[in-house]
Amino acid sequence: MLHRTLLLIGYVVFPLLVTGQVALRSNHHRPIAQGEQHGIYEHVYRELTGMLEGRKKLDFKRAVFLSEQAWFDGQLDSTAFENRISRLVNLCRSVKESRTLLYDGEDKQKMATHAAIFSVLTDSIPMMLTDSSTAYHLPFLYDFDDVWGHQNWSQMFVVKLLETNAGNCHSMPLLYKLLAQELGTDAHLAYAPNHTYIKLQSKQFGWFNTELTSGAFPIDAWLMASGFVHLDAIRNRVYMHPLNEQQSLALILVDLAKGYEDRFGFNGGDFQLEVIQTALQYHPENVNALLLKAELLRKRYFNQIEANQAASVSSYLPAQATKDRFREMEQVYATIHRLGYRQMPEQMYLDWLVSLKTEKEKYQNKKITNLTKPRTP
Amino acid sequence: MRQVGASVPPTQAQINASAANYAEQMRQRQLRQNRAIIDEAECTALKPVIRYDFPSHQHQAEADRYNEAYTEIATMLDHGKPDLLRANYLTENAYHSEFSYSDYQQAIGDIGQFLNEQLANQDVENTSNHAKNRMLFRFFSDTLQSADGQQTHYPITYDFEDYMGREDWSNMFVSKVLKTNSGQCHSLPLLYLILAEELGADASLSFSPAHSYIQFQDKNGVWVNVELTNNMMTSDAFILESGFVKAEAVANGLYMDRMQKSDVIAYQLYDLAKGYMIKYGMDKFVLQCLDKALEHDPNNVNALALKSDYCTLLLNYQLQQIGTPPLEVLKQQYPRAYATLRQRDQMYDMMDQLGYEYMPPEAYEKWLSSLNEKQKQEESKWRVIQLNKQLD
């Protein structure tokens, strides 16, 4: 249950917040050559690798922006993005300062920050403006349309979430994490089948789950009861494991590879495979990376067969190449299965997602509340 | 050569003055000494002696049995020679000595013989691992008659009365099951394992919150859960439904892990510690048992939880004597107590990191009784049928 708090913001003005419409894509789309488009992907990949290797400062917000920027051919308006983020960050700060979280642990400040981020993402917040009128910050909603980005890959993006105020289980946790970074605290992404969510650690509750799509704190049993979480996947830390900073960047690399494939198609698979390999280097159990790798190898394998049919049938080398490609692909599928991954049909996923709201009694962590009281100035 | 008489001899007055001065010095010195003694006495009077360890119970009657049990079980662990029957006997016998080890071996041997006879006489396949496990399951859940009709064994029941051993700790014992044909989630799985060794069957112990159960592999290598409190074959989902199993706990092997034989021996050291604590009270022996257990099985959730309790109680014991000063004062003036505080906090942090969450008895009871739901009963029956089919 979330209280609505009236914020007294004397000095911060939120001119555009009422409509929530901020143009993040610049109005002029200048056409660029395919070579240049590919070049942008290369550049972003190098930036992210730099962060992973510690040569560049690890900035999750920048990593997210860059990976989306690549898909937009470098034409996202970074200033608008920064502005939107900093307005949200300021709002989180104001929300935190205007109230006291009813929580007794030693890490009260950290939990208050998280409570503020949670409120900003999932609740309406009335604010008093300088001219004494009231404006409302509206919560971000779940967009049930095209949840896997099959029609439009940018459905998965944080910029799309910011622009339309609606996102999905991919973009919303990313926004949470980058806001947490800006506010100087940590938040962990975690995987579940076809899903990402936020995991936090509190002195009072230990590890707990934050589900932004339905604004709740489900107990682990809900995530494990989806029916597609094999216990081995839990044992192997494939699902429900809080990702560290490098593993989070690996997640962004997977996004980059998928975005590239969406823009240019298979295209031989070299770039995607290189990106995925780097991701797996830092997160070997990243099942999404493994799935993408298996798919790429499978395409390569079938391409090889086609090439064989075109070439002479009697020569030995093509047959060996085919065998190798098959074995390579088989190994990845075997690893995926051994880790405990089981494929989940899309409709079942949506049913499961909704079940958290409909069966809140059963799955809500009753100890965690976002209860606050207004802070008296 | 000095001339005698070169210095002027002292006058009588001078001698008197010197004597008086000396006396005064002596008196002053005595005063100082007295003051020092008084100061020291006052100091110790202000700071009473703090006992940083629990009072030892080692002098109590029969405590020696515990020491001997510890030595023998620790040797099993250190030399890699697990003997569950012996370890279990030592643990229970230390609490109260009712019968000899050879009597215990005899009792278990008799059951083993009975079961082997049952196996030999059954129509279906009877030598594979899952056939033996099925026989064990039948021992707990079925009525069985010996070939000559002289012996009837009835299903082993769940003891609702004192399933936590609060009335009598020995209600948790394997020997209690042998005497009364009823037990609970601690004693029944242990008996299963002991009998599995008799039959040469492979089965593993697993923990879940406030609970233990058995797992074994069927003909296809698929792991099956055996819930002996209700003689059912349960799903992993049932265990997760307890609501107190965190993903971290599973990933860290606290729950639902298939324990090795040595892990079960280490668990017996936990049982030994707990029995000692209940019989006499907390002292260093308890910690010694737990540390040895954790040395060989670092993720034994029960040992970790009890050690966490130990640190909590030790800190409370120390603070009761000190009073509860602010943290800075504790750090400066009572460093040993401060170290206990740090140790307690470290245990709590570790438990949190491992994914441990305390399950209250009411929640446990509710979860266990959910086994009576019709759907679960039906699912269990189906699983048992599948297992039976594998023997054809």
Side-chain angles (χ1 to χ4, degrees):
Chain A
M1 291 265 268
L2 299 160
H3 288 327
R4 294 198 175 163
T5 48
L6 195 67
L7 302 179
L8 294 153
I9 306 172
Y11 52 88
V12 188
V13 181
F14 293 81
L16 292 165
L17 224 56
V18 181
T19 57
Q21 288 298 322
V22 176
L24 287 157
R25 281 170 276 199
S26 80
N27 288 323
H28 337 283
H29 181 100
R30 74 182 166 79
I32 67 175
Q34 195 181 64
E36 200 183 323
Q37 289 168 331
H38 186 109
I40 296 174
Y41 267 94
E42 292 271 4
H43 169 75
V44 168
Y45 172 57
R46 277 197 303 274
E47 286 278 314
L48 294 175
T49 317
M51 284 191 203
L52 276 167
E53 290 169 7
R55 287 182 284 107
K56 293 193 189 280
K57 176 167 163 245
L58 202 150
D59 182 343
F60 188 73
K61 178 186 71 172
R62 183 167 157 72
V64 170
F65 182 74
L66 283 175
S67 73
E68 299 181 3
Q69 174 78 292
W71 193 84
F72 282 110
D73 301 333
Q75 298 189 5
L76 279 178
D77 186 348
S78 70
T79 318
F81 177 78
E82 290 291 340
N83 284 345
R84 186 79 162 95
I85 295 295
S86 68
R87 279 209 296 274
L88 283 171
V89 168
N90 285 337
L91 181 59
C92 288
R93 285 205 184 103
S94 304
V95 166
K96 181 181 171 182
E97 272 150 41
S98 73
R99 61 193 200 179
T100 312
L101 187 69
L102 299 172
Y103 172 81
D104 275 326
E106 286 171 19
D107 52 351
K108 198 165 175 161
Q109 286 308 310
K110 175 179 160 187
M111 284 299 120
T113 306
H114 282 293
I117 303 174
F118 183 77
S119 289
V120 166
L121 294 181
T122 61
D123 207 4
S124 314
I125 299 171
M127 302 171 299
M128 197 147 100
L129 302 179
T130 43
D131 63 355
S132 295
S133 64
T134 314
Y136 281 87
H137 158 82
L138 297 172
F140 294 91
L141 303 171
Y142 189 80
D143 185 356
F144 280 91
D145 244 337
D146 194 18
V147 295
W148 279 282
H150 292 318
Q151 273 109 59
N152 189 342
W153 179 241
S154 68
Q155 283 283 103
M156 313 302 271
F157 288 0
V158 171
V159 294
K160 186 263 176 191
L161 169 64
L162 292 173
E163 207 170 83
T164 65
N165 259 32
N168 55 31
C169 70
H170 187 88
S171 48
M172 291 169 90
L174 291 181
L175 178 59
Y176 189 110
K177 186 174 164 69
L178 69 86
L179 288 176
Q181 177 190 274
E182 297 298 293
L183 287 162
T185 187
D186 50 43
H188 300 267
L189 297 165
Y191 281 130
N194 296 344
H195 194 68
T196 337
Y197 63 103
I198 291 287
K199 264 194 125 149
L200 303 169
Q201 202 178 15
S202 119
K203 289 271 175 185
Q204 216 168 61
F205 313 124
W207 285 105
F208 69 95
N209 309 313
T210 301
E211 197 35 65
L212 296 164
T213 54
S214 42
F217 305 103
I219 54 177
D220 283 11
W222 175 68
L223 288 139
M224 295 194 269
S226 73
F228 289 87
V229 179
H230 194 279
L231 216 63
D232 283 346
I234 304 285
R235 291 190 178 108
N236 292 321
R237 298 191 160 94
V238 168
Y239 289 138
M240 304 183 66
H241 178 68
L243 303 182
N244 63 28
E245 291 309 298
Q246 288 184 317
Q247 290 165 334
S248 306
L249 283 181
L251 184 153
I252 301 295
L253 279 178
V254 177
D255 280 350
L256 190 73
K258 283 186 169 171
Y260 180 94
E261 179 122 342
D262 181 76
R263 285 307 258 115
F264 306 109
F266 177 62
N267 208 22
D270 289 322
F271 178 75
Q272 300 96 302
L273 276 168
E274 194 188 335
V275 172
I276 289 298
Q277 273 309 112
T278 310
L280 286 170
Q281 199 188 326
Y282 289 90
H283 191 194
E285 312 85 45
N286 187 317
V287 76
N288 294 319
L290 288 166
L291 285 166
L292 188 56
K293 181 175 178 180
E295 216 177 280
L296 291 163
L297 292 177
R298 188 171 55 90
K299 285 181 182 155
R300 270 203 175 167
Y301 169 68
F302 283 116
N303 280 2
Q304 184 66 51
I305 290 183
E306 267 179 46
N308 288 355
Q309 286 172 346
S312 148
V313 183
S314 61
S315 85
Y316 169 74
L317 278 166
Q320 187 55 43
T322 316
K323 273 191 194 153
D324 287 343
R325 294 226 158 152
F326 181 80
R327 208 166 295 130
E328 211 184 3
M329 170 190 81
E330 206 183 33
Q331 251 176 4
V332 182
Y333 278 117
T335 305
I336 292 170
H337 190 87
R338 181 183 50 82
L339 283 174
Y341 171 80
R342 303 291 179 271
Q343 191 177 33
M344 184 183 204
E346 293 184 1
Q347 186 50 46
M348 299 207 75
Y349 169 74
L350 288 169
D351 289 341
W352 165 73
L353 204 62
V354 167
S355 76
L356 179 56
K357 264 207 164 129
T358 53
E359 292 186 75
K360 227 169 189 174
E361 249 315 291
K362 195 170 168 190
Y363 291 123
Q364 175 76 306
N365 185 333
K366 302 194 170 76
K367 288 185 287 201
I368 298 174
T369 62
N370 213 25
L371 287 177
T372 57
K373 61 174 200 259
R375 198 189 295 237
T376 41
Chain B
M1 194 166 101
R2 251 172 84 229
Q3 273 191 307
V4 176
S7 53
V8 178
T11 64
Q12 190 57 47
Q14 276 174 328
I15 292 169
N16 291 346
S18 173
N21 194 26
Y22 181 74
E24 178 58 31
Q25 276 184 3
M26 283 296 103
R27 208 175 64 244
Q28 286 295 343
R29 185 206 251 175
Q30 190 60 48
L31 271 175
R32 278 199 302 273
Q33 274 181 344
N34 289 347
R35 212 173 359 249
I37 291 169
I38 291 167
D39 281 344
E40 200 183 314
E42 270 177 6
C43 257
T44 34
L46 282 170
K47 243 195 189 167
V49 172
I50 311 282
R51 285 204 293 267
Y52 288 100
D53 287 317
F54 292 116
S56 165
H57 299 288
Q58 289 284 296
H59 60 277
Q60 301 244 26
E62 299 162 2
D64 266 340
R65 286 214 291 265
Y66 274 95
N67 291 326
E68 282 157 20
Y70 170 80
T71 308
E72 214 182 310
I73 300 175
T75 308
M76 277 187 210
L77 285 170
D78 290 335
H79 294 191
K81 290 188 156 61
D83 183 348
L84 181 58
L85 186 65
R86 179 75 183 155
N88 173 254
Y89 173 77
L90 287 168
T91 303
E92 296 184 3
N93 187 62
Y95 188 77
H96 63 190
S97 189
E98 280 187 308
F99 43 79
S100 68
Y101 184 53
S102 58
D103 283 344
Y104 195 49
Q105 285 174 305
Q106 182 76 49
I108 296 294
D110 284 347
I111 299 174
Q113 210 173 8
F114 177 76
L115 291 175
N116 276 322
E117 186 196 72
Q118 294 283 314
L119 269 171
N121 290 340
Q122 67 183 32
D123 296 337
V124 291
E125 186 267 294
N126 56 14
T127 52
S128 66
N129 185 47
H130 70 276
K132 292 179 186 174
N133 273 294
R134 179 178 163 273
M135 188 73 250
L136 288 167
F137 180 62
R138 287 189 64 206
F139 179 71
F140 283 84
S141 59
D142 255 344
T143 306
L144 300 168
Q145 264 206 329
S146 62
D148 59 5
Q150 297 296 314
Q151 287 174 289
T152 309
H153 161 79
Y154 294 98
I156 303 181
T157 55
Y158 183 73
D159 178 7
F160 286 93
E161 303 254 315
D162 186 22
Y163 68 92
M164 286 183 81
R166 286 210 174 130
E167 307 285 317
D168 180 356
W169 180 241
S170 67
N171 279 331
M172 310 282 273
F173 287 179
V174 171
S175 52
K176 188 250 180 186
V177 183
L178 294 176
K179 280 187 285 181
T180 66
N181 217 38
S182 82
Q184 42 75 267
C185 72
H186 171 269
S187 51
L188 297 174
L190 278 176
L191 178 59
Y192 188 107
L193 286 176
I194 288 170
L195 292 173
E197 275 190 22
E198 278 294 302
L199 296 190
D202 275 320
S204 303
L205 185 67
S206 294
F207 290 141
S208 75
H211 196 68
S212 68
Y213 62 103
I214 293 290
Q215 289 195 49
F216 71 85
Q217 284 177 292
D218 73 8
K219 189 171 173 183
N220 302 320
V222 174
W223 285 97
V224 171
N225 299 333
V226 186
E227 184 46 58
L228 293 168
T229 59
N230 210 336
N231 294 320
M232 287 169 70
M233 294 193 172
T234 51
S235 61
D236 283 344
F238 161 65
I239 293 166
L240 297 172
E241 270 170 26
S242 81
F244 289 84
V245 179
K246 286 195 175 169
E248 283 75 21
V250 176
N252 288 320
L254 290 186
Y255 294 137
M256 305 176 80
D257 198 23
R258 294 126 196 169
M259 292 163 69
Q260 313 273 13
K261 284 191 186 209
S262 58
D263 295 336
V264 187
I265 304 296
Y267 176 48
Q268 290 306 282
L269 272 181
Y270 156 81
D271 275 342
L272 190 71
K274 190 122 191 236
Y276 182 97
M277 184 187 87
I278 289 172
K279 191 167 177 179
Y280 306 121
M282 272 292 198
D283 74 15
K284 267 201 163 124
F285 179 79
V286 173
L287 187 65
Q288 181 190 20
C289 290
L290 295 176
D291 280 340
K292 185 49 109 177
L294 289 169
E295 184 192 315
H296 288 272
D297 187 13
N299 288 343
N300 185 307
V301 66
N302 294 308
L304 287 167
L306 189 57
K307 184 168 175 179
S308 193
D309 287 344
Y310 182 93
C311 293
T312 309
L313 290 169
L314 186 63
L315 179 67
N316 291 351
Y317 178 69
Q318 291 169 357
L319 289 180
Q320 253 166 24
Q321 299 169 66
I322 295 172
T324 25
L327 195 63
E328 272 313 305
V329 176
L330 193 74
K331 193 170 177 180
Q332 298 294 332
Q333 293 189 12
Y334 302 96
R336 276 189 76 176
Y338 183 70
T340 310
L341 172 69
R342 300 272 290 129
Q343 201 186 17
R344 183 204 71 168
D345 286 348
Q346 265 164 20
M347 275 305 300
Y348 285 178
D349 280 343
M350 176 169 65
M351 302 291 278
D352 273 349
Q353 277 292 106
L354 288 173
Y356 173 79
E357 202 184 336
Y358 170 67
M359 185 178 200
E362 318 82 60
Y364 173 77
E365 273 164 48
K366 192 170 166 194
W367 166 74
L368 200 62
S369 62
S370 79
L371 277 175
N372 294 325
E373 279 164 28
K374 190 142 167 61
Q375 192 187 359
K376 291 197 172 75
Q377 294 273 334
E378 293 302 314
E379 280 171 11
S380 172
K381 280 191 196 140
W382 180 87
R383 280 187 201 100
V384 175
I385 290 169
Q386 296 310 305
L387 194 70
N388 288 340
K389 278 187 182 164
Q390 286 182 357
L391 296 175
D392 290 331

